[in-house]
Amino acid sequence: KKYFKDLDFNFIKLPSEDILTKKIKHIAIYAENRDKANTLRSFLACVKPQKALIFTSRLQDAEILASKLRYKKIQCECLHAKSDKIARKSAIDRFRSGKSNLLITSDLASRGLDINNITHVIQMDLPKSEDFFIHRTGRTARCGKEGINVVIGDAYEMENFSKLEKKLKIFVNPAQLHGGKLVFLS
């Protein structure tokens, strides 16, 4: 304190960036649980994201989804809490370098991931916590860029997404895939 007592400080309050509402476009795509993997495949074929981070709440869902995509010849990386150190590093390195443009991950494995230029966050389910939703969504639209957050969910998840929309004051664009195109419903 004694070092600063003679200094005159001016405090400047910067306006918030409000990334969640201004830099991220939110899209809701309805799909029954049994159809989510096919809906994701159709979305990826239609939109062709440059770099997408795909979230699941449970680690076994991440593995199953990665297997389904690989079976259909869609190259992706998978990362979850039980990934060994070598597999984890390999998946992150391949995704970060652009050798793979899809990384499927569980919430626990995604903590601390800092990867630039993620254009799309795709949530295959809604997390139970609002904080996890914000954490997932915030992986895109960094450093002044814009991003897209997609939730592929069933009726229960769409109802919860609607509640989040009101609570977080975001605008959600309902959409569906039709004829190889993403069609917005509003």
Side-chain angles (χ1 to χ4, degrees):
K1 289 183 177 180
K2 66 180 181 179
Y3 299 110
F4 299 113
K5 71 178 186 177
D6 295 328
L7 297 176
D8 187 24
F9 288 100
N10 289 326
F11 290 96
I12 300 170
K13 184 176 179 180
L14 298 173
S16 73
E17 289 185 62
D18 208 7
I19 293 169
L20 205 58
T21 59
K22 294 181 180 170
K23 295 284 186 178
I24 300 174
K25 182 176 186 174
H26 301 274
I27 300 172
I29 301 174
Y30 173 80
E32 292 292 336
N33 276 325
R34 67 181 175 272
D35 300 326
K36 284 185 177 187
N38 285 333
T39 301
L40 174 62
R41 275 190 321 101
S42 296
F43 177 79
L44 295 172
C46 169
V47 175
K48 296 175 182 52
Q50 284 181 313
K51 191 176 260 192
L53 190 55
I54 303 167
F55 282 100
T56 65
S57 293
R58 300 178 330 165
L59 66 95
Q60 62 265 34
D61 292 343
E63 277 293 336
I64 291 167
L65 185 59
S67 293
K68 287 181 178 183
L69 292 180
R70 289 176 185 142
Y71 179 77
K72 294 292 186 174
K73 309 290 187 236
I74 298 172
Q75 202 270 325
C76 62
E77 302 301 318
C78 185
L79 180 68
H80 53 73
K82 291 190 177 177
S83 299
D84 66 46
K85 189 176 183 178
I86 295 168
R88 180 179 176 85
K89 182 175 178 356
S90 174
I92 292 170
D93 288 348
R94 289 182 56 75
F95 185 64
R96 187 173 274 138
S97 71
K99 290 179 181 169
S100 177
N101 69 333
L102 301 176
L103 176 63
I104 301 169
T105 184
S106 63
D107 285 318
L108 292 176
S110 70
R111 287 290 182 188
L113 279 183
D114 188 23
I115 299 171
N116 292 328
N117 303 317
I118 294 174
T119 58
H120 292 73
V121 166
I122 303 168
Q123 302 189 51
M124 298 303 292
D125 50 33
L126 270 182
K128 292 178 178 33
S129 157
E130 175 186 323
D131 289 340
F132 271 109
F133 175 83
I134 293 168
H135 172 75
R136 285 176 171 188
T137 305
R139 301 295 102 200
T140 188
R142 292 185 163 203
C143 301
K145 295 182 180 177
E146 294 185 355
I148 297 173
N149 172 51
V150 179
V151 174
I152 297 175
D154 60 17
Y156 178 75
E157 290 163 327
M158 289 298 116
E159 184 179 322
N160 286 334
F161 197 18
S162 178
K163 290 175 186 174
L164 270 176
E165 177 182 25
K166 291 176 183 123
K167 186 173 185 179
L168 298 175
K169 297 179 174 76
I170 59 177
F171 176 74
V172 175
N173 299 280
Q176 65 184 17
L177 295 159
H178 184 70
K181 295 185 180 187
L182 185 65
V183 178
F184 291 97
L185 304 174
S186 60

